[in-house]
C-alpha cells in the first residue's frame, strides 16, 4: 500500500513538474545608446515570458556591441553557448566564418524563412546572409543621419539642410563661432562609431569601403576613402568648425542639447533620445553627398550560437519570431528611434499614426533607398580598428597627412586579413 502510494505521488509530481517546465534560455543584448533601452528590453522579455509557458527567457545585459561579441564568444567557449544574442548586424559574417553561429534554417522549423526575409527592407538583408544562408534576423537597424538646430540655421541665414559636401562645409562655417564657442558640426570619433562614419563618408564619396562579396579585401588606400579621411580631418584642422581630438557620441549629443553644436551626425537610433532632450526646434536630414547619396546600414540583429540543444533551438526561434514580429519590432522602433527593419511594421495603424505625428522618424527609412551593407570581413573589429586608429590620429595631429593615414590603415588591415587571403584568394584550388 505504501509502495503504491509512493509511486502514485512520484508520478503525480513528475506530471505536475512536466506541466510547468519551460525551456530556459539566455538572451544577451547590448544597450549602445542609453540605459532606458535595456530597461525596455527587459520589459519585452517579461512580456514574452508571461505570454506562454513553454520558454523562459533570461535577459543578460552585455554592454557595447564589441563587448557583447566578446562576452558571447567567451560563453560559447566555456560550454554555455547563448541561444539568442542581439549582435552588431555586421558581425554575423565573421561569426559564421568561424563556425560559431548556426544558420537560421536550423531554428526556423516549418517557417518559410525565404518568405519571412522578403518582409525585411532589401538594404538590411545582405548583412543577414553569408554563403547563401541566413545567419541573423534583423531587429534594430539604423543609418547615420544629420541632426541640425533650425534656430541656429535661421540665425545664420541658412534656409535648408546641406545636401552636398560643399554646402555642408559652407553651412558649418556660417554656424561656427570663434574659439569653440559654438561648433558648426560634430561627429563621434570613438571606436565603432568612427569606422561606421568613415564608411558612410567613403560611400558618399563614390567608393566602396570593402569587398561585400569577399571578406578578405578592404579599400582604405583608395581615392574615395582618402577623400573621406581628408574631408572629416579638414572640418577640425582646416575649417576649424569641429573640435580636434577624439569625441564620443555622448559629448556630441550633449553639445547639441546645450547649443554648443549646430549640426551633429548620429545614428537614427538616437532619434528618440534627441526628441526627448532637444529643447529647441530641430530637424533631421540625409547625410550630405559628394559623389552620391549613400550610407551603410547599422544596428543589430539576432543570432544563435552553435552548441545549443534542439529544445533550446526551438525555444530560441519561438522568442526570435515573437520579438521580430511586425508588432514588436514596430514598438521597438517607436520607442528607440531605430527604423523598423521589417517593412510590414509600417503597415500597422499604430505605426502610421506615429510617423504622421513624427515625420522625422521616416528620414532613415527614406534614406534606405541609398543604403548598402555594413563592413563585414574576416576579423571585422580588428580590420575596422586599423582605419579608426588613423582617423583618430588625423583629428589629433594637424601634421599627419590623409595619404599617410590611409596607407598605414591599409597596411595594418592587410596584415589582419592576410591569413584569410592566404587560405582563399591566394591559394590555388
Amino acid at each position: 500500500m505504501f509502495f503504491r502510494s509512493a509511486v502514485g505521488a512520484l508520478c503525480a509530481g513528475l506530471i505536475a513538474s512536466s506541466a510547468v517546465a519551460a525551456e530556459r534560455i539566455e538572451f544577451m543584448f547590448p544597450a549602445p545608446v542609453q540605459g532606458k533601452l535595456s530597461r525596455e528590453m527587459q520589459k519585452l522579455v517579461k512580456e514574452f515570458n508571461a505570454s506562454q509557458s513553454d520558454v523562459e527567457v533570461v535577459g543578460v545585459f552585455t554592454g557595447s556591441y564589441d563587448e557583447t561579441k566578446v562576452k558571447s564568444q567567451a560563453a560559447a567557449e566555456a560550454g554555455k553557448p547563448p541561444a539568442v544574442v542581439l549582435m552588431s548586424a555586421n558581425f554575423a559574417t565573421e561569426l559564421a566564418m568561424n563556425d560559431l553561429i548556426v544558420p537560421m534554417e536550423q531554428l526556423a522549423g516549418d517557417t518559410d524563412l525565404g518568405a519571412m526575409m522578403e518582409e525585411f527592407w532589401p538594404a538590411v538583408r545582405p548583412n543577414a546572409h553569408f554563403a547563401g544562408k541566413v545567419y541573423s534576423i534583423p531587429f534594430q537597424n539604423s543609418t547615420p543621419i544629420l541632426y541640425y538646430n533650425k534656430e541656429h540655421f535661421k540665425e545664420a541665414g541658412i534656409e535648408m539642410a546641406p545636401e552636398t559636401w560643399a554646402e555642408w562645409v559652407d553651412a558649418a562655417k556660417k554656424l561656427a563661432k570663434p574659439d569653440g564657442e559654438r561648433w558648426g558640426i560634430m561627429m563621434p570619433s570613438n571606436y565603432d562609431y568612427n569606422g561606421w562614419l568613415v564608411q558612410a563618408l567613403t560611400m558618399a564619396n563614390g567608393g566602396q569601403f570593402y569587398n561585400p562579396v569577399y571578406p578578405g579585401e578592404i579599400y582604405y588606400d583608395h581615392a574615395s576613402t582618402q577623400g573621406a579621411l581628408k574631408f572629416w580631418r579638414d572640418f577640425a584642422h582646416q575649417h576649424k568648425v569641429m573640435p580636434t581630438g577624439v569625441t564620443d557620441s555622448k559629448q556630441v549629443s550633449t553639445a547639441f542639447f546645450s547649443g554648443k553644436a549646430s549640426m551633429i551626425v548620429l545614428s537614427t537610433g538616437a532619434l528618440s533620445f534627441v526628441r526627448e532632450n532637444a529643447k529647441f526646434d530641430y530637424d533631421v536630414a540625409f547625410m550630405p553627398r559628394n559623389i552620391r547619396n549613400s550610407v551603410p546600414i547599422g544596428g543589430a540583429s539576432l543570432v544563435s550560437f552553435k552548441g545549443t540543444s534542439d529544445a533550446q533551438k526551438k525555444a530560441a526561434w519561438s522568442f526570435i519570431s515573437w520579438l521580430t514580429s511586425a508588432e514588436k519590432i514596430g514598438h521597438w522602433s517607436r520607442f528607440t528611434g531605430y527604423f523598423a527593419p521589417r517593412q510590414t511594421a509600417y503597415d500597422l495603424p499604430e505605426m502610421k499614426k506615429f510617423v504622421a505625428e513624427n515625420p522625422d522618424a521616416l528620414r532613415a527609412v527614406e534614406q534606405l533607398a541609398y543604403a548598402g551593407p555594413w563592413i563585414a570581413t574576416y576579423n571585422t573589429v580588428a580590420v575596422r580598428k586599423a582605419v579608426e586608429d588613423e582617423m583618430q590620429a588625423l583629428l589629433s595631429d594637424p601634421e599627419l597627412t590623409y595619404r599617410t593615414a590611409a596607407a598605414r590603415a591599409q597596411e595594418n588591415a592587410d596584415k589582419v586579413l592576410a591569413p584569410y587571403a592566404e587560405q582563399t584568394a591566394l591559394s590555388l584550388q
Side-chain angles (χ1 to χ4, degrees):
M1 183 66 181
F2 171 78
F3 175 75
R4 290 170 61 184
S5 298
V7 170
L10 176 61
C11 290
L14 288 174
I15 292 170
S17 176
S18 63
V20 298
E23 188 63 39
R24 196 169 188 269
I25 59 171
E26 284 195 345
F27 167 41
M28 293 184 169
F29 62 88
V33 179
Q34 50 189 308
K36 63 178 285 188
L37 271 68
S38 60
R39 292 192 292 273
E40 186 65 14
M41 184 59 81
Q42 291 286 16
K43 288 182 183 176
L44 285 174
V45 169
K46 188 176 181 180
E47 181 184 341
F48 172 75
N49 287 338
S51 71
Q52 46 74 52
S53 57
D54 295 331
V55 180
E56 180 188 0
V57 174
V58 179
V60 181
F61 169 57
T62 46
S64 68
Y65 283 148
D66 288 359
E67 289 168 339
T68 297
K69 179 173 179 287
V70 171
K71 290 178 180 177
S72 55
Q73 286 184 247
E77 290 171 1
K80 297 180 178 179
V84 185
V85 182
L86 183 58
M87 187 73 75
S88 188
N90 60 334
F91 289 170
T93 293
E94 178 186 338
L95 294 170
M97 290 171 65
N98 292 330
D99 201 24
L100 293 173
I101 58 175
V102 296
M104 283 292 157
E105 64 184 11
Q106 291 189 20
L107 278 65
D110 296 332
T111 301
D112 185 338
L113 198 56
M116 177 181 173
M117 292 305 293
E118 287 293 315
E119 291 192 18
F120 288 80
W121 296 106
V124 305
R125 296 177 203 161
N127 280 123
H129 288 78
F130 176 71
K133 295 182 178 179
V134 178
Y135 276 91
S136 65
I137 304 297
F139 175 67
Q140 61 176 31
N141 289 105
S142 59
T143 63
I145 53 175
L146 181 70
Y147 296 78
Y148 63 98
N149 186 320
K150 293 176 70 175
E151 296 173 8
H152 289 183
F153 268 48
K154 184 176 181 180
E155 171 193 313
I158 305 170
E159 295 184 351
M160 58 183 291
E163 295 181 351
T164 68
W165 282 10
E167 293 173 358
W168 202 5
V169 171
D170 184 58
K173 288 180 176 178
K174 290 177 178 175
L175 291 161
K177 293 187 176 180
D179 302 321
E181 180 183 349
R182 188 172 79 191
W183 299 109
I185 173 71
M186 287 182 70
M187 299 193 291
S189 51
N190 53 298
Y191 290 116
D192 197 9
Y193 238 127
N194 182 324
W196 192 44
L197 295 186
V198 173
Q199 181 179 356
L201 294 174
T202 300
M203 294 169 72
N205 202 23
Q208 279 195 327
F209 198 54
Y210 75 109
N211 186 338
V213 295
Y214 175 68
E217 287 183 341
I218 197 80
Y219 305 136
Y220 292 160
D221 201 17
H222 285 212
S224 52
T225 309
Q226 291 175 358
L229 296 172
K230 180 180 185 300
F231 180 70
W232 191 349
R233 176 244 180 243
D234 285 353
F235 271 141
H237 297 304
Q238 180 175 334
H239 310 306
K240 302 187 186 304
V241 294
M242 175 185 284
T244 59
V246 178
T247 308
D248 66 26
S249 57
K250 186 175 182 180
Q251 290 173 291
V252 170
S253 58
T254 298
F256 190 58
F257 298 149
S258 67
K260 294 291 186 183
S262 298
M263 296 185 287
I264 59 171
V265 174
L266 284 178
S267 162
T268 186
L271 187 52
S272 292
F273 182 55
V274 172
R275 193 179 292 137
E276 290 172 3
N277 290 281
K279 308 303 181 187
F280 49 82
D281 194 11
Y282 78 93
D283 206 345
V284 296
F286 279 20
M287 282 286 284
R289 66 180 181 277
N290 188 31
I291 305 297
R292 59 174 178 169
N293 287 112
S294 192
V295 289
I297 290 296
S301 301
L302 298 160
V303 301
S304 183
F305 271 70
K306 187 177 182 180
T308 57
S309 67
D310 289 343
Q312 287 174 319
K313 286 184 175 67
K314 184 178 180 181
W317 185 252
S318 176
F319 180 57
I320 289 172
S321 55
W322 181 87
L323 193 61
T324 60
S325 65
E327 291 78 10
K328 298 307 172 190
I329 223 166
H331 166 79
W332 188 251
S333 171
R334 295 190 294 277
F335 184 82
T336 60
Y338 288 102
F339 71 83
R342 197 159 190 157
Q343 301 174 69
T344 47
Y346 291 91
D347 297 331
L348 300 176
E350 56 268 35
M351 190 64 115
K352 290 181 178 178
K353 180 175 183 293
F354 180 80
V355 297
E357 295 171 350
N358 301 279
D360 54 358
L362 281 179
R363 204 70 71 244
V365 176
E366 294 163 351
Q367 202 171 219
L368 285 179
Y370 310 100
W374 194 2
I375 177 176
T377 67
Y378 170 81
N379 211 339
T380 300
V381 174
V383 170
R384 189 196 72 206
K385 187 173 180 296
V387 78
E388 290 176 322
D389 287 342
E390 296 304 325
M391 188 66 246
Q392 291 185 349
L394 279 168
L395 291 170
S396 301
D397 180 1
E399 303 300 320
L400 178 62
T401 70
Y402 65 90
R403 293 185 188 280
T404 298
R408 288 198 311 215
Q410 183 74 51
E411 180 181 359
N412 290 329
D414 285 344
K415 288 178 182 175
V416 176
L417 294 168
Y420 182 76
E422 293 286 346
Q423 294 169 18
T424 54
L426 298 178
S427 175
L428 297 178
Q429 301 298 320

